Amino acid sequence: MTPQRQAVLDALAECSGHPTAAEIYARVQQRRPGLAYATVYNALNALVERGLILQLHVDDGASRYDLRTDRHDHVLCVDCGALVDVTAARPGRAAQRAAVESGFIIHGQHTQFYGRCLSCNDDRAGTCKNV
Amino acid sequence: MTPQRQAVLDALAECSGHPTAAEIYARVQQRRPGLAYATVYNALNALVERGLILQLHVDDGASRYDLRTDRHDHVLCVDCGALVDVTAARPGRAAQRAAVESGFIIHGQHTQFYGRCLSCNDDRAGTCKNV
DNA sequence: GTTTTTGCAAAATGTTTGCATTGTA
DNA sequence: TACAATGCAAACATTTTGCAAAAAC
């Protein structure tokens, strides 16, 4: 754990929600100006490999990173892109059935829910603050 | 539905599994040489918008496209990248709990299972044909 | 003293855009 | 005629790579 990686981890902790690499880069600049973009990616990849953070692929944009590493699922607002953690469903039956059906050995699972957040649902005018 | 979009749809149907835009582009070249890469993307986006195909974001690489539009889930081999359809779990309880927990109105859900396919599991030497 | 990491720029990858041209309703 | 789609190149966004210098073990 180098100072740079710690700085990236700190920046991730300070960002609310599930920031992208770009957001983490912007935040980390406040503490360690000049830290290279590539180093942020290096650090993020290293942290993901070590299991200290999660990398999420919620849509076709940039990856988002998540400090929470226990098993949990996510709800995405299709209007504003807000991403919220939710308690994971028990793996149970679904994983077992998927294993039988596919012949795969299954290690994990992640469910992504799609919907509309409270703000986007209340006012259809698009004044949701998360946009 | 233009001839180009039909050609893209045909190419998708001919590709086994869940091809990327690049694979679809390569395949469509056989029928309509010279069809532009951007047109393939245009066509894919138009088809996704119309609900004729699905766009999947399984990892940080290229999007994969899926002819199957009924609700179903996917199993990903973390070694070779093979992606297999499986029957979707009933939405039921999990979605409802996610809605309560997040305050979102939830329209849909997709579960991604992670594991290892039969080939990758049998021989750890990496002779899996899907790689 | 060897191995890993950083920093930088440049490359690779995946996708979209601007715009003139073509085709279609 | 109007409207949308194509084709092309170039732009854009995201992420990785190559390599020299610096730091860590």
Side-chain angles (χ1 to χ4, degrees):
Chain A
M1 179 62 69
T2 68
Q4 287 86 349
R5 291 183 185 176
Q6 188 61 54
V8 166
L9 205 52
D10 291 347
L12 176 50
E14 287 167 14
C15 292
S16 62
H18 305 82
T20 63
E23 287 160 349
I24 295 168
Y25 171 76
R27 171 75 60 153
V28 88
Q29 286 306 101
Q30 298 174 9
R31 312 216 156 202
R32 304 194 135 246
L35 196 148
Y37 222 124
T39 300
V40 171
Y41 272 105
N42 277 345
L44 288 171
N45 288 340
L47 293 169
V48 169
E49 261 176 36
R50 284 159 182 72
L52 297 174
I53 64 177
L54 288 182
Q55 184 178 19
L56 310 176
H57 310 288
V58 298
D59 54 17
D60 53 354
S63 294
R64 304 195 196 185
Y65 296 87
D66 194 343
L67 259 186
R68 231 183 114 172
T69 54
D70 64 316
R71 212 171 83 66
H72 64 286
D73 293 329
H74 292 99
V75 185
L76 176 72
C77 176
V78 295
D79 277 0
C80 73
L83 190 66
V84 172
D85 292 333
V86 291
T87 306
R90 280 193 314 276
R93 218 149 291 178
Q96 197 171 353
R97 180 161 52 159
V100 169
E101 220 176 304
S102 63
F104 283 40
I105 307 296
I106 291 184
H107 304 134
Q109 70 182 88
H110 172 246
T111 298
Q112 173 108 35
F113 297 94
Y114 300 93
R116 193 164 277 127
C117 75
L118 217 47
S119 313
C120 286
N121 214 57
D122 280 354
D123 57 47
R124 314 307 310 274
T127 37
C128 168
K129 297 93 200 162
N130 303 321
V131 178
Chain B
M1 177 62 70
T2 67
Q4 287 86 349
R5 291 183 184 176
Q6 189 60 56
V8 165
L9 205 51
D10 291 346
L12 175 50
E14 287 168 13
C15 292
S16 61
H18 306 82
T20 62
E23 286 160 351
I24 294 168
Y25 171 76
R27 171 75 59 154
V28 89
Q29 286 305 101
Q30 298 174 10
R31 313 214 156 204
R32 305 194 134 246
L35 196 147
Y37 221 124
T39 299
V40 172
Y41 272 105
N42 277 345
L44 288 170
N45 289 340
L47 294 168
V48 169
E49 261 176 35
R50 283 158 182 71
L52 297 173
I53 64 176
L54 288 182
Q55 183 178 20
L56 311 175
H57 309 288
V58 299
D59 53 17
D60 53 355
S63 294
R64 304 195 195 186
Y65 296 88
D66 194 342
L67 258 186
R68 231 183 113 173
T69 54
D70 65 315
R71 213 172 82 67
H72 64 286
D73 292 329
H74 292 99
V75 185
L76 175 72
C77 176
V78 295
D79 277 0
C80 72
L83 190 66
V84 172
D85 291 334
V86 292
T87 305
R90 281 192 316 274
R93 215 148 294 178
Q96 197 172 352
R97 179 161 54 159
V100 170
E101 219 176 308
S102 62
F104 283 40
I105 308 296
I106 291 184
H107 304 135
Q109 70 181 88
H110 172 247
T111 299
Q112 173 106 36
F113 296 94
Y114 300 93
R116 192 164 278 126
C117 76
L118 216 49
S119 312
C120 285
N121 214 56
D122 280 354
D123 58 49
R124 315 308 311 273
T127 38
C128 168
K129 296 93 199 161
N130 302 322
V131 177

